[in-house]
Structure formats: C-alpha cells, structure tokens
Amino acid sequence: MGAATLGLSRCAVSAVLAGRLVRTLRSSITRLYLGDAIISQPTLLQLAAGLEALREIVFPNEFSGSPEFFRSLARARPALKELHFGEEADLIDDACVAAICENLALENLSIDRNDTLTPDVVDIILRSP
C-alpha cells in the first residue's frame, strides 16, 4: 500500500528533493504536512502537481501566499479537499481566501489564527462551492 502522509516539518525542501519524492511517492501520498519546513512556492507547487493522490496540505508556519499562488495551486492539484494554516498565518488575507474558495471545492479550510482577515471573509467562504 505505502505511506499516506508525507511529513516534512523542520526540513529544507529543495526542488531536487521534491522531484525525488514525487517519483517515489507519486500515487500514495494524500496528506502533505509541512509544519516548520522551509520550502519555496515553486517547490510546493511542484509537489502539489506531482503527488497525484494529494488531497490535504498543512502549510508551513509563517507561510506567505498570494492570490495568484493559490490559483496556481488549484490548477496544479484541483482535487485538494483540505487546507490548513497554522497559528502564524497572518500573511493570508481576504484576497487569498477568495482565490482559494473560488478555485477549489474544499471540504475543510482551517486558519488557526489570523489578524489580517476581515469580517468580509465569512461572506467569501459562504459564497464558495
């Protein structure tokens, strides 16, 4: 059967490592846990695109994404069902949540703590698929 979760917390994840992981674990990984990982946005997109069974991502702490990044993530792995942002997700704003909600049919969006979101984010989420 193989592993279902790939945990890379406290790892520096290079594009070379991501390529090796994709070649080895392409069809088995459903959950990507990044916690305290150091990973670039292009490398994260590489993993999302290559891990064919991926349905859940736990983003690195202090992850900073843009609306365009999240649109790219949806194009790379449209079957994502769960996204989790930790307590240091202050770099995710309403526009990012809108890009996530407009481009993915999520079953679970978890944002543990965020001081940059406004009350408008509730309407953004409620209007989403």
Side-chain angles (χ1 to χ4, degrees), residues 31-58:
R31 182 174 194 260
L32 179 60
Y33 180 84
L34 296 169
D36 291 318
I38 299 168
I39 185 169
S40 69
Q41 289 182 6
T43 302
L44 180 51
L45 290 173
Q46 177 187 2
L47 282 170
L51 297 173
E52 298 167 349
L54 189 63
R55 299 295 176 266
E56 177 183 359
I57 298 175
V58 178

Side-chain angles (χ1 to χ4, degrees), residues 1-45:
M1 177 117 190
T5 298
L6 176 58
L8 297 170
S9 186
R10 298 185 184 172
C11 294
V13 184
S14 67
V16 172
L17 175 59
R20 289 181 181 160
L21 292 168
V22 165
R23 283 191 299 279
T24 306
L25 303 169
R26 174 180 312 267
S27 62
S28 63
I29 298 299
T30 60
R31 182 174 194 260
L32 179 60
Y33 180 84
L34 296 169
D36 291 318
I38 299 168
I39 185 169
S40 69
Q41 289 182 6
T43 302
L44 180 51
L45 290 173

Side-chain angles (χ1 to χ4, degrees), residues 1-128:
M1 177 117 190
T5 298
L6 176 58
L8 297 170
S9 186
R10 298 185 184 172
C11 294
V13 184
S14 67
V16 172
L17 175 59
R20 289 181 181 160
L21 292 168
V22 165
R23 283 191 299 279
T24 306
L25 303 169
R26 174 180 312 267
S27 62
S28 63
I29 298 299
T30 60
R31 182 174 194 260
L32 179 60
Y33 180 84
L34 296 169
D36 291 318
I38 299 168
I39 185 169
S40 69
Q41 289 182 6
T43 302
L44 180 51
L45 290 173
Q46 177 187 2
L47 282 170
L51 297 173
E52 298 167 349
L54 189 63
R55 299 295 176 266
E56 177 183 359
I57 298 175
V58 178
F59 285 90
N61 295 326
E62 300 181 19
F63 180 79
S64 174
S66 66
E68 183 51 42
F69 168 80
F70 291 110
R71 286 189 285 274
S72 296
L73 179 63
R75 286 189 298 272
R77 184 59 45 213
L80 285 170
K81 295 297 178 193
E82 298 186 42
L83 299 181
H84 303 275
F85 297 92
E87 292 185 12
E88 300 168 24
D90 284 338
L91 302 172
I92 304 300
D93 61 14
D94 289 5
C96 291
V97 173
I100 290 167
C101 290
E102 291 166 3
N103 292 284
L104 292 166
L106 294 180
E107 296 171 1
N108 185 352
L109 173 61
S110 174
I111 303 171
D112 289 347
R113 192 196 106 233
N114 186 296
D115 296 329
T116 58
L117 294 176
T118 71
D120 294 338
V121 80
V122 174
D123 291 327
I124 291 168
I125 294 169
L126 291 175
R127 286 192 308 263
S128 72

